Amino acid sequence: MTSARKEGLAEGRLVSIIVPSYNKERFIPGTIRSVQAQTYPHWELLVVDDASTDGTVALVKAEADRDPRIKLFAFDENKGANHCRNKGIELASGKYIVFLDADDILAPDCLEQRVATIYKSGYDFCVFTMHVFHEKVGDSNHGWIPDTERPLADFFMHKLPWSIMQPIWRTDRMRELGGFDESFSRHQDVDLHTRALLRKGVAWKQVVGRPDCFYRISDERKNYDAFGLVGRWTDSAIKYYFKFLPAAKERNMAPLLLGIINKTYLQILYHRKIGGLDDRQFAELEKKLLDPRIIAGLSVWKRALLKASRAYNLMPIRIPGVNKLFDTLLVQ
């Protein structure tokens, strides 16, 4: 094969891996190594740093100096992960895009498997199996298996069938979708995937198999402020509800959107019960989430369910299956 032909093949199959980073000095070396260990050679790693204050930028710059496939773009001021991902989409040279967080890991055959599936397939995105881990890949058996028969309904009710790292996207389709909605402080991938499923003509596929990516859930990765975190969940849940309410109504699926409201309410109630929220913070978040525009449209029965859920989740006891039952009844 001639050199020009090889270059053409690489360009036609190049994968841009987009990594937003903020103060991930401890974790990002493992993330980079997992990309460098890929059996598939046609990739570029775009690290978009969100004004880190630790040694992340210097570390990535040193890696980029050694490996020209690694490219660093660093903001001088913090702009948020959504903005970083959108900058990565803008900078991407590849035909395909994969999103990877700065503390997560790809299996060695991840890109090889994904490109083999999407290349010349006609799909705009394909979704693959993911497992979680705490400190080391393999220390948890929990996984996200993309095998839903009704993905739009699942996203509407916040029974999330896949997350941000699991798909590979055609870059042109991602740009048509407009990337991430930067007004979402949480649930930005839920919004993106919902928009993709609603877009006419978008073709996609779920691939069930061995996990090809691994999501870190170690407590050390979290900057934990209960009021701030749950507040962002609350704001984003309300925004999601109203953003997609017209589309849900058109499809006779509007009740499903109560799923994201209820699951957010459970987080508010949980953090109040364990003392993460004081009385004022709890009252503020509860009032915001139970927006009168939402509650006014509920039946007496569903209002009673929310009250029953509140009473139960503030009690010291827990009975398996009760919250699942509340959730099931609310979205009917």
Side-chain angles (χ1 to χ4, degrees):
M1 185 180 292
T2 67
S3 175
R5 191 175 171 193
K6 285 181 179 178
E7 289 177 6
L9 178 63
E11 182 179 351
R13 297 187 180 183
L14 181 67
V15 181
S16 297
I17 305 165
I18 297 173
V19 177
S21 68
Y22 178 70
N23 288 350
K24 288 296 192 291
E25 180 181 9
R26 180 188 169 196
F27 299 113
I28 202 168
T31 301
I32 293 173
R33 286 195 297 271
S34 79
V35 175
Q36 291 173 316
Q38 291 299 300
T39 57
Y40 183 84
H42 306 307
W43 55 263
E44 63 173 0
L45 178 61
L46 305 176
V47 179
V48 184
D49 188 80
D50 202 19
S52 288
T53 57
D54 63 0
T56 299
V57 171
L59 190 155
V60 175
K61 186 178 184 304
E63 291 288 347
D65 289 341
R66 289 189 288 267
D67 189 337
R69 297 172 297 177
I70 301 173
K71 302 169 185 178
L72 171 67
F73 184 94
F75 288 117
D76 293 328
E77 58 181 290
N78 190 273
K79 295 177 178 291
N82 290 348
H83 190 81
C84 291
R85 294 186 182 103
N86 283 341
K87 185 64 178 180
I89 294 168
E90 175 190 325
L91 297 171
S93 300
K95 182 175 182 178
Y96 307 108
I97 283 175
V98 168
F99 295 105
L100 176 65
D101 283 350
D103 51 4
D104 295 335
I105 300 292
L106 299 182
D109 61 349
C110 174
L111 298 185
E112 182 176 5
Q113 175 183 218
R114 293 189 184 190
V115 174
T117 302
I118 199 172
Y119 186 64
K120 291 186 176 180
S121 67
Y123 295 119
D124 296 298
F125 69 98
C126 299
V127 186
F128 296 80
T129 301
M130 179 181 77
H131 272 191
V132 303
F133 71 105
H134 297 276
E135 294 297 334
K136 182 178 179 181
V137 170
D139 64 13
S140 171
N141 292 322
H142 179 67
W144 287 29
I145 301 173
D147 61 354
T148 177
E149 295 181 357
R150 50 175 201 162
L152 181 60
D154 285 345
F155 275 112
F156 275 167
M157 67 177 128
H158 212 66
K159 181 184 175 184
L160 304 181
W162 61 75
S163 70
I164 193 169
M165 188 170 35
Q166 292 174 255
I168 182 171
W169 297 85
R170 267 182 35 208
T171 302
D172 56 357
R173 179 60 82 180
M174 175 56 62
R175 287 173 175 158
E176 286 174 15
L177 288 168
F180 292 86
D181 184 338
E182 296 182 23
S183 67
F184 278 86
S185 56
R186 304 290 297 184
H187 308 320
Q188 57 267 25
D189 54 329
V190 183
D191 166 76
L192 172 67
H193 296 141
T194 304
R195 284 188 282 119
L197 292 169
L198 285 169
R199 178 69 68 92
K200 185 177 181 180
V202 171
W204 59 279
K205 179 181 182 179
Q206 298 175 105
V207 181
V208 177
R210 290 186 297 105
D212 71 357
C213 57
F214 302 91
Y215 173 73
R216 186 187 298 272
I217 56 174
S218 170
D219 286 340
E220 188 173 341
R221 73 189 287 274
K222 300 174 183 177
N223 296 317
Y224 202 81
D225 162 30
F227 182 60
L229 178 63
V230 182
R232 291 189 291 275
W233 281 339
T234 301
D235 290 339
S236 296
I238 294 169
K239 185 174 186 64
Y240 182 91
Y241 181 95
F242 286 110
K243 180 173 182 176
F244 293 107
L245 184 58
K249 284 182 176 179
E250 287 178 7
R251 293 160 177 78
N252 295 318
M253 299 168 73
L256 299 182
L257 290 173
L258 286 173
I260 194 170
I261 300 300
N262 183 54
K263 290 181 175 64
T264 305
Y265 199 21
L266 293 180
Q267 290 296 325
I268 294 173
L269 294 167
Y270 169 75
H271 282 89
R272 179 66 191 100
K273 185 165 72 171
I274 66 172
L277 300 173
D278 61 29
D279 289 343
R280 179 194 61 81
Q281 292 170 335
F282 172 65
E284 179 180 329
L285 293 178
E286 184 178 39
K287 181 179 179 180
K288 182 185 292 186
L289 181 69
L290 301 182
D291 188 301
R293 294 171 295 171
I294 298 174
I295 300 303
L298 299 184
S299 66
V300 173
W301 163 242
K302 289 192 176 182
R303 293 186 198 185
L305 281 173
L306 283 174
K307 290 181 180 179
S309 176
R310 183 188 197 277
Y312 166 71
N313 281 284
L314 290 177
M315 293 171 61
I317 64 168
R318 297 282 293 181
I319 303 172
V322 171
N323 280 329
K324 184 176 181 180
L325 177 61
F326 282 139
D327 197 58
T328 300
L329 294 173
L330 278 166
V331 300
Q332 289 181 350

